[in-house]
Amino acid sequence: MSRKSSRPKARPVLNLLPLGALAAGFGLATAAMAQTSVAPAPAKPATEEAALPTVRVKAAAEPQGKDAYQATQTRIGKGKQDIRDIPQSLTVVTEKLMDDRNLDNVKEVLKNTAGITFMAAEGGEEDIRIHGISLQSTGDIFIDGMRDPAFYERDTFFLDKVELLRGSGALMFGRGSSGGAVNQVTKQAVLADQNEIAITASSHAGLRAVGDFNARTGETTAWRIGTMVDRADNDGAGNMINKVGLAGSVRTGIGETDEFALTMYALQNGNGMNYGMPWIRPTLTSPVADTTLVPVDPTAYYGMASDRNKGSAQYVMGQHTHRFSADIELTSKARYASYTRNQRAGTVRFAGAALQPGGLAVSLATFGPNTVINRGTQLKVQDMQTVTVQSDLSARIHAAGMAHNITTGVDFSQEKKQVYAAYSANQGGIVPPKPTTTVGRPDDGAWIDEGRRSFRTNNEYVSKGYGAYLQDLVQVAPMWKVLAGLRYDKLDGDYRVYSIPSNAPSPPTTTPYAMKISEWSKRAAVLFQPSERLSFHLMGATSFNTSGDTYSLSAANANIPPEKSVNVELGGQYDSADGKLTTRFGIFRATKLHERNTDPLTNLVVLSGKRHAAGIDVDITGRITPEWEIFGTFTWMPVARIDIGAPGAEGQGSRPSLTPRYSGSLWTTYKLTPQWRVGGGFVARSGQQPNRNPGFYAPKFIIGNLMAEYTAIEDALLFRLNVDNVANKRYADTLYSGHYLPGMGRIVALTGTYKF
């Protein structure tokens, strides 16, 4: 096999994204400004306005995430449902909240919710956990209800809201979803003329420009375009930012019997890559339990200047909705997505004692500017393509003297992934050496030519999944509803590994593995709703996820059966008298009956038996008064235990890793005058152990954030100042047993938003 890379070249369209984003933004802005100089058209007679079909008036006023913190409806349960009818903990972060808190990527959105933790996986990507159960590695991140399984840094520029469902979501989404699911809801064209440009200048030479342009082109037709350009020398945690995005939505027949929509999206990341910092002890003889953080500024970066985390995500999605009546609709979607990833980074570790000043190993007692740091190599080069088709029927009917809310559907997905490996020196490849650095020289600018590496195909994965589900929410009595649902999934996966012996150029050997899974998922609940303001639920659900979740079948796990989980929740929802404030709670118990412990660095792949966690999730969202808005989300998890352990994994009887006893976020704003609005809040997390429970806890932390907003021209021009991590708190955000990624230090950002 040739030593030249077999990886497909980047698509030319991505190279045009910066120009396309700027051209779309400035072109539309110029056109809109030009229109302001034209005399307005004469107002239509009131009788003509009154003659418009009611359904179109409603469609023009459909709610958007930019309107408020509170959301009252969701499609995370497939068909459109009132949130009070979802018998599980659900947190919704709207666009308005994302803007107020200056959250520009999905990881930051999730960090501002409760019950979420992050593991720094061996490839540098963040493995997201809900109640300590892996979410990202099982592919439980979705876009508009369709799986978005690739590892990439997701941006919020074209998101209307982010929905976090805790507990099993297998009935709606199939495999995975043991801990929960994250659904990104994209912006859609609406029947209104609304345009917005937001420009943010922030610390570390940060500059971000986002455009959101929507035009109504007919009585039932509209289009929408989103643009984004983002640059910064440092994101506050050692990462350079360089990304650009372009997205669009076209809808026709809005509110009619047949509605069609087309959504296109392209994101290109050329960001830096901070692999993290090693843990440290106070002295060489200190117990492992005293392990703590390295005392350096959060912005300090010790990787190579040539390290990077480049990647792209592109998709096109078509949607058709047929409304048989006001109570019955069929929605069908088809999406093709393509992802690329080109990560060049390396572990940052303290050099051995022989290279340190005085020949002493590193501890806080010997730590100083001359402490020597080694830089390793971690490469992730891979492509992925997915095809997803699904059709969902939602129907409200009366049968057998009872009201039924039925959702049923079928779906198909095909996922392909190609992983590339660099040739080693023994195989004739070029391996550029990396120099050491010292603690006193962060950002030393050391660089190697990553282009000298040559790559080959290391493994390929192709899976096909089929699913069908049926759920019925039945009004069995004036105050009582019963929910029952059943889903069947079938997954076939084929995996091929290509091995190159050290005495290259010998031909590669191919080792195939296959996986065939057929599983049922169940969900049942009882809801007691004594009034429009009050709702209680008791829910039980099952879920499963397969050995091929991360597309890494091998001889060690190809024949391991799926993990299985059971989730039980007792919860409720209370709405204020005016419906503007919602409080939800859920007392949960999540049990993994066959937990799989995996770690590629230790070749650990085993079903360890059983674990469980129990606690309570609480959310409060909405307006306390017309001037006072609040968002709060808290998780208290006093119970978490490995019931049956496994050699090399987390010990039996111990608390599972990445399960803090409490985590939460509070944010509130108050409108002092028509011009001034102020806000503030915090994010908190108690101590937690990294993966494999190495015997120490990452320190607990509380991060404070502030905001002030001034409206210069009502509904037209405003300025917002955000100060995040006000105290410049040093904390571990993402954890691994050998290192941690620091959380962002203090960031000051000023945003100007112009609406027209």
Side-chain angles (χ1 to χ4, degrees), residues 146-479:
M146 308 177 85
R147 198 176 299 273
D148 184 40
F151 285 108
Y152 68 99
E153 296 177 331
R154 297 168 172 86
D155 198 277
T156 61
F157 80 97
F158 203 60
L159 292 184
D160 183 71
K161 61 178 77 76
V162 175
E163 302 171 320
L164 170 62
L165 179 75
R166 299 179 186 86
S168 174
L171 182 74
M172 290 78 76
F173 302 116
R175 64 174 172 85
S177 303
S178 295
V182 172
N183 185 40
Q184 306 163 83
V185 181
T186 58
K187 296 180 180 180
Q188 297 294 307
V190 296
L191 293 178
D193 292 320
Q194 58 180 42
N195 304 287
E196 181 176 311
I197 297 174
I199 299 177
T200 302
S202 60
S203 305
H204 313 298
L207 184 63
R208 177 179 173 90
V210 177
D212 183 6
F213 311 99
N214 191 100
R216 176 174 181 166
T217 58
E219 290 190 354
T220 65
T221 304
W223 58 257
R224 190 169 191 168
I225 291 177
T227 63
M228 179 273 297
V229 177
D230 199 349
R231 303 281 189 270
D233 294 339
N234 193 308
D235 70 347
N239 296 299
M240 179 267 290
I241 299 176
N242 183 2
K243 56 185 176 179
V244 62
L246 178 64
S249 167
V250 179
R251 293 170 69 194
T252 185
I254 299 174
E256 299 292 309
T257 301
D258 286 286
E259 179 179 323
F260 298 89
L262 180 68
T263 302
M264 293 172 287
Y265 181 92
L267 173 68
Q268 179 174 280
N269 290 318
N271 302 328
M273 180 72 193
N274 185 1
Y275 205 89
M277 293 296 294
W279 304 95
I280 195 170
R281 300 185 196 180
T283 68
L284 296 178
T285 58
S286 297
V288 173
D290 290 344
T291 300
T292 187
L293 310 183
V294 177
V296 297
D297 191 90
T299 60
Y301 173 67
Y302 294 99
M304 304 292 293
S306 48
D307 287 356
R308 61 179 183 262
N309 190 14
K310 297 184 66 175
S312 67
Q314 303 169 92
Y315 68 82
V316 57
M317 181 180 73
Q319 177 175 320
H320 170 240
T321 300
H322 178 73
R323 298 180 175 91
F324 297 92
S325 68
D327 295 323
I328 303 176
E329 70 174 34
L330 177 67
T331 300
S332 301
K333 302 177 184 177
R335 188 188 72 191
Y336 171 78
S338 174
Y339 310 89
T340 66
R341 183 183 185 192
N342 190 335
Q343 176 189 297
R344 312 294 175 91
T347 49
V348 173
R349 295 289 189 269
F350 296 127
L355 297 178
Q356 299 296 344
L360 297 175
V362 179
S363 67
L364 286 178
T366 63
F367 183 82
N370 295 323
T371 298
V372 180
I373 290 176
N374 287 332
R375 297 182 275 210
T377 298
Q378 294 287 341
L379 309 175
K380 284 286 184 178
V381 182
Q382 51 198 224
D383 296 333
M384 191 173 190
Q385 307 84 37
T386 66
V387 175
T388 310
V389 180
Q390 66 184 46
S391 189
D392 302 293
L393 177 69
S394 175
R396 298 177 183 271
I397 62 173
H398 280 78
M402 293 180 288
H404 298 256
N405 186 351
I406 298 173
T407 52
T408 184
V410 295
D411 51 63
F412 165 79
S413 64
Q414 176 181 274
E415 299 174 357
K416 297 181 178 180
K417 188 176 185 180
Q418 306 84 41
V419 178
Y420 306 94
Y423 283 93
S424 67
N426 291 336
Q427 297 166 342
I430 297 175
V431 182
K434 293 183 177 181
T436 63
T437 188
T438 61
V439 168
R441 298 181 61 210
D443 303 285
D444 65 354
W447 181 89
I448 61 173
D449 185 1
E450 288 286 352
R452 298 175 65 194
R453 300 186 195 272
S454 52
F455 288 81
R456 61 177 178 83
T457 302
N458 184 64
N459 60 72
E460 296 178 311
Y461 181 86
V462 178
S463 74
K464 293 182 179 179
Y466 310 84
Y469 73 94
L470 173 64
Q471 177 178 276
D472 191 5
L473 179 64
V474 187
Q475 184 91 46
V476 296
M479 298 181 185

Side-chain angles (χ1 to χ4, degrees), residues 671 673-675 710-718 753-756:
K671 195 164 187 177
T673 70
Q675 287 77 38
Y710 176 72
T711 300
I713 304 175
E714 187 176 1
D715 296 325
L717 180 64
L718 64 84
T753 301
Y754 178 57
K755 303 177 182 179
F756 55 96

Side-chain angles (χ1 to χ4, degrees), residues 563-579:
E563 292 182 303
K564 294 186 179 180
S565 302
V566 176
N567 289 269
V568 178
E569 179 176 308
L570 173 66
Q573 174 174 320
Y574 173 76
D575 294 329
S576 61
D578 61 1

